Amino acid sequence: MKKILDLITAEVTKAFTSCGYHEKYGKVTLSNRPDLCEYQCNGAMAAAKEYKKAPFLIADEIAKKLSDNEMFLAAESVKPGFLNLKLDPVYLAGYLQEMKQDQERFGCEKAENPRLIMLDYGGPNVAKPLHVGHLRSAIIGESIKRIGRFMGHTMIGDVHLGDWGLQMGLIITELKERKPQLVYFDEGYEGEYPAEAPFTISELEEIYPTASAKSKDDAVYKEAAMQATYELQHGRKGYQALLSHILNVSVTDLKRNYENLNVSFDLWKGESDAQPYIPDMVQKMKDDGYAYISEGALVVDVKEETDTKEIPPCMILKSDGASLYNTTDLATIVNRMEEYHPDEIIYIVDKRQELYFTQVFRCAQKTHLVEESTKLRFLGFGTMNGKDGKPFKTREGGIMRLEHLLSEINEEMYQKIADNHTMDENEARETAKIVALSAVKYGDLSNQASKDYIFDIDRFTSFEGNTGPYILYTIVRIKSILAKYQALGKDTKEAKILPAQTASEKALMLELTGFSAAMEAAFLEAAPHRVCAYIYGLANALNHFYHETKILAEEDETAQAGYICLLELTKGVLEACIDVLGFSAPERM
Ligand code: ARG
């Protein structure tokens, strides 16, 4: 279905051209004076200059032309030359009925040219528990993936594990100190390595910080860890076997954690998967004359004339020949191009890495790791702060594990729901989980991603205001009305959405028409907050309509069925929106 603004613009444009004016003046926008009209066109103001005519005269001509157009209830010219428009309720009801018949997409068209887009999000580091710093990438990335899929694009999410580098050497070194008898450390060992890992996830999570702390004040220990890293990276078999154990144990745990967030990845690749691509890539950069030695290191210049600040060269290899975070990201691009040939790669990473990604992208473009048309996009997100405005911490001031954060919010939600005494313990626990997830995700996604925000449990879990639970509450309210209607033995099979009778009903209907525009904008801008803003407006309109209208008590069956149809559409649209935000609604709450 065409978007409502496009349909209106088409009619107004026709009016402009048939009066002899250029078509470019017919553009219609949402009204910025909703008290006066629903839509407006300011084209007459601009046309006045070209046609040397008073704007009001032009607006008047257009208004007359539109006066018998069935799309409009009113088309008025107002001084000095604006065109104020109101939709005809019959036309509006017809538009919504068509949306409703399209039961999954509600009239939102898929992209004409679907793209293949890879998303680099999550970015956890193995052997380290997920903490609140990982929350935003996961939540935002998951939503962008879902928005893209809804719009008909192929979206491939890659978790891009941090599984390469010193942290691995540290774990190996600590393990060797504790259990030197393990076969992994025996260089002469020729047999198969055990299938079972020599540690559990909780041991692993303890080993890493212990080793990391030791290496800080023990130079010999640190040297050993660096040596182990080197040997691992140069193919020592026992260490590689340990690496796969570390990965397996970690990934199992990460998957469980992400599942609790309703976040999933198509690819579980990591930095280590990019390593085989490094030698050829580096050689080619040298052969093509892009990479050169500067102060011992191999670098590629990436500064551009138009830069207003200094962009340092992109370092490819350190002076000892070791690869870096950059090298891995570049080699990952090589791998992605080879295996998937994406039209675009979007990185959802902390905005403090912006300069770094500028260097990596420029280097990839300059050295032709990607094609001219390949879009590399950095979506930097801000920090999640506590109420004190500083990065979110535990009460004791430590780094908060994601699991603990979620269970705190689940508990808070459970208390609220249990206080209502409407469900048994099990249902209350399940419902609390669903609602808590909406609180966390909506609290995050309703902000523009690049901004910092304050994680405020009290506000996020509130059933009122611009929150996830409020949106769910609205959906549950609709579900309950629909169930009661059904319980009266009625259905809407023969019914249709009817022309609005009241202002609140029309306002709800107008909100509904904005669905596809909101989705489209959210995709283009990679901005889930667009979807949040849209459903907040829609939920408010629904609740206003609900408070002003007798629905279940309505005696006129046809009118009642019309209301129910409108509620069904609203529910469908709200559910489609929360689905792309990555959460769902319970049956009751
Ligand atoms: N593991 C990284 C970190 O903790 C984030 C990875 C981001 N993605 C990337 N392709 N570099 O900072």
Side-chain angles (χ1 to χ4, degrees):
M1 267 174 91
K2 289 228 166 68
K3 292 194 290 289
I4 194 94
L5 268 177
D6 293 345
L7 290 169
I8 302 174
T9 293
E11 287 306 304
V12 175
T13 300
K14 248 194 278 166
F16 268 92
T17 50
S18 70
C19 292
Y21 302 108
H22 195 277
E23 59 179 26
K24 71 181 173 196
Y25 297 116
K27 190 167 164 36
V28 173
T29 57
L30 280 180
S31 162
N32 50 22
R33 285 290 305 273
D35 51 326
L36 297 181
C37 61
E38 295 154 5
Y39 303 91
Q40 67 187 54
C41 170
N42 302 346
M45 302 293 289
K49 292 193 192 86
E50 182 180 336
Y51 297 96
K52 304 205 172 27
K53 223 175 184 180
F56 183 69
L57 289 178
I58 301 177
D60 228 21
E61 269 179 273
I62 307 300
K64 283 217 180 68
K65 194 90 256 147
L66 293 171
S67 62
D68 55 0
N69 190 314
E70 61 181 29
M71 186 184 270
F72 303 107
L73 177 69
E76 286 165 3
S77 58
V78 282
K79 293 216 159 98
F82 298 117
L83 194 61
N84 287 356
L85 301 164
K86 282 187 186 158
L87 273 191
D88 187 278
V90 176
Y91 176 83
L92 179 56
Y95 185 86
L96 293 188
Q97 183 60 29
E98 206 180 323
M99 271 178 83
K100 184 166 184 282
Q101 266 140 14
D102 183 6
Q103 284 184 11
E104 265 156 44
R105 310 196 50 80
F106 309 105
C108 181
E109 286 178 18
K110 288 195 180 182
E112 252 170 62
N113 302 305
R115 293 158 64 77
L116 194 155
I117 301 174
M118 292 190 84
L119 294 171
D120 185 309
Y121 70 109
N125 300 312
V126 297
K128 290 192 215 169
L130 285 180
H131 58 78
V132 295
H134 294 109
L135 189 64
R136 299 210 68 192
S137 180
I139 292 181
I140 299 167
E142 179 70 20
S143 177
I144 293 174
K145 180 181 81 182
R146 287 163 177 253
I147 292 169
R149 285 195 182 146
F150 189 84
M151 295 310 293
H153 301 279
T154 301
M155 308 294 282
I156 303 177
D158 182 7
V159 71
H160 199 73
L161 292 171
D163 61 355
W164 198 246
L166 188 60
Q167 79 221 50
M168 298 300 150
L170 284 166
I171 296 168
I172 293 171
T173 305
E174 182 59 24
L175 211 58
K176 193 172 175 183
E177 290 223 333
R178 295 185 189 188
K179 304 179 181 171
Q181 75 287 358
L182 290 176
V183 290
Y184 307 94
F185 304 113
D186 174 1
E187 280 195 86
Y189 184 73
E190 295 275 322
E192 293 263 312
Y193 291 104
E196 190 83 4
F199 42 72
T200 63
I201 183 68
S202 28
E203 283 169 308
L204 199 55
E205 284 178 357
E206 175 268 318
I207 290 174
Y208 174 71
T210 308
S212 172
K214 273 195 198 170
S215 75
K216 291 205 174 92
D217 33 54
D218 182 343
V220 178
Y221 189 93
K222 172 131 194 225
E223 186 52 43
M226 281 165 62
Q227 178 62 23
T229 311
Y230 181 88
E231 288 178 33
L232 167 71
Q233 298 188 346
H234 288 80
R236 183 164 162 175
K237 270 177 37 210
Y239 289 2
Q240 289 189 328
L242 276 177
L243 173 66
S244 26
H245 284 313
I246 299 173
L247 276 174
N248 279 339
V249 170
S250 251
V251 166
T252 310
D253 186 61
L254 286 170
K255 282 192 175 156
R256 184 182 58 81
N257 272 287
Y258 281 124
E259 219 166 274
N260 284 333
L261 275 177
N262 198 17
V263 167
S264 67
F265 299 91
D266 305 290
L267 303 177
W268 278 84
K269 293 204 178 203
E271 294 170 353
S272 65
D273 292 297
Q275 303 311 314
Y277 295 85
I278 291 179
D280 286 355
M281 178 185 83
V282 171
Q283 192 56 48
K284 189 155 184 319
M285 284 180 180
K286 285 191 200 158
D287 292 348
D288 294 347
Y290 294 118
Y292 67 93
I293 304 285
S294 163
E295 294 171 34
L298 189 71
V299 303
V300 171
D301 279 333
V302 292
K303 61 174 189 285
E304 288 170 8
E305 265 177 33
T306 48
D307 288 342
T308 49
K309 62 172 191 221
E310 169 94 16
I311 309 285
C314 185
M315 206 194 279
I316 309 295
L317 294 177
K318 288 199 265 192
S319 48
D320 62 0
S323 57
L324 310 97
Y325 186 45
N326 306 18
T327 331
T328 300
D329 260 320
L330 289 165
T332 302
I333 292 178
V334 175
N335 168 247
R336 287 176 179 162
M337 289 306 287
E338 216 173 274
E339 270 188 62
Y340 301 98
H341 209 93
D343 298 302
E344 178 171 354
I345 310 176
I346 307 180
Y347 294 78
I348 297 111
V349 184
D350 191 310
K351 71 178 175 198
R352 285 169 290 191
Q353 293 191 30
E354 178 158 20
L355 172 63
Y356 164 78
F357 276 102
T358 302
Q359 293 173 297
V360 169
F361 291 175
R362 285 185 182 184
C363 181
Q365 277 148 351
K366 181 173 179 180
T367 64
H368 305 293
L369 302 186
V370 294
E371 285 167 23
E372 301 251 323
S373 60
T374 316
K375 194 165 163 194
L376 298 173
R377 189 161 169 193
F378 176 70
L379 212 96
F381 53 80
T383 309
M384 173 176 143
N385 289 323
K387 275 189 183 167
D388 58 359
K390 300 204 184 96
F392 195 87
K393 291 267 159 61
T394 58
R395 271 185 214 99
E396 295 72 37
I399 293 178
M400 174 83 111
R401 283 177 75 141
L402 202 53
E403 259 178 293
H404 297 162
L405 179 80
L406 289 181
S407 50
E408 246 182 54
I409 298 171
N410 282 347
E411 192 52 39
E412 174 102 10
M413 219 57 242
Y414 171 72
Q415 291 307 339
K416 273 198 189 180
I417 290 173
D419 284 349
N420 292 340
H421 302 293
T422 48
M423 358 177 148
D424 64 32
E425 154 109 30
N426 264 345
E427 190 185 349
R429 289 259 171 228
E430 277 311 305
T431 307
K433 253 200 219 163
I434 298 174
V435 183
L437 191 62
S438 82
V440 175
K441 288 196 160 186
Y442 191 94
D444 189 307
L445 295 171
S446 53
N447 302 287
Q448 203 177 319
S450 60
K451 301 227 164 93
D452 297 348
Y453 74 95
I454 292 184
F455 191 89
D456 180 343
I457 298 196
D458 296 334
R459 187 168 80 75
F460 289 3
T461 56
S462 167
F463 285 21
E464 279 154 40
N466 190 7
T467 70
Y470 170 67
I471 303 292
L472 296 193
Y473 189 77
T474 306
I475 295 175
V476 167
R477 167 171 274 167
I478 302 176
K479 283 187 180 180
S480 134
I481 302 169
L482 297 182
K484 284 183 188 144
Y485 181 74
Q486 241 186 3
L488 296 172
K490 305 184 190 182
D491 67 57
T492 51
K493 277 195 202 95
E494 305 293 319
K496 266 205 197 137
I497 293 180
L498 299 174
Q501 301 293 334
T502 61
S504 67
E505 188 179 13
K506 191 169 188 196
L508 170 60
M509 293 172 97
L510 288 169
E511 283 289 340
L512 282 164
T513 61
F515 172 62
S516 29
M519 278 290 188
E520 219 175 86
F523 172 72
L524 285 176
E525 297 164 25
H529 74 271
R530 290 285 206 148
V531 178
C532 295
Y534 172 67
I535 51 176
Y536 184 49
L538 181 56
N540 282 338
L542 181 282
N543 287 312
H544 192 199
F545 166 69
Y546 168 82
H547 288 300
E548 303 225 319
T549 317
K550 289 185 294 170
I551 299 172
L552 289 166
E554 175 59 58
E555 281 159 18
D556 178 339
E557 297 272 332
T558 317
Q560 184 182 47
Y563 292 153
I564 297 294
C565 287
L566 185 59
L567 293 189
E568 285 170 340
L569 175 61
T570 310
K571 169 173 166 285
V573 168
L574 286 171
E575 283 174 336
C577 288
I578 62 170
D579 187 59
V580 300
L581 295 176
F583 56 89
S584 58
E587 283 315 303
R588 30 187 221 148
M589 63 193 266

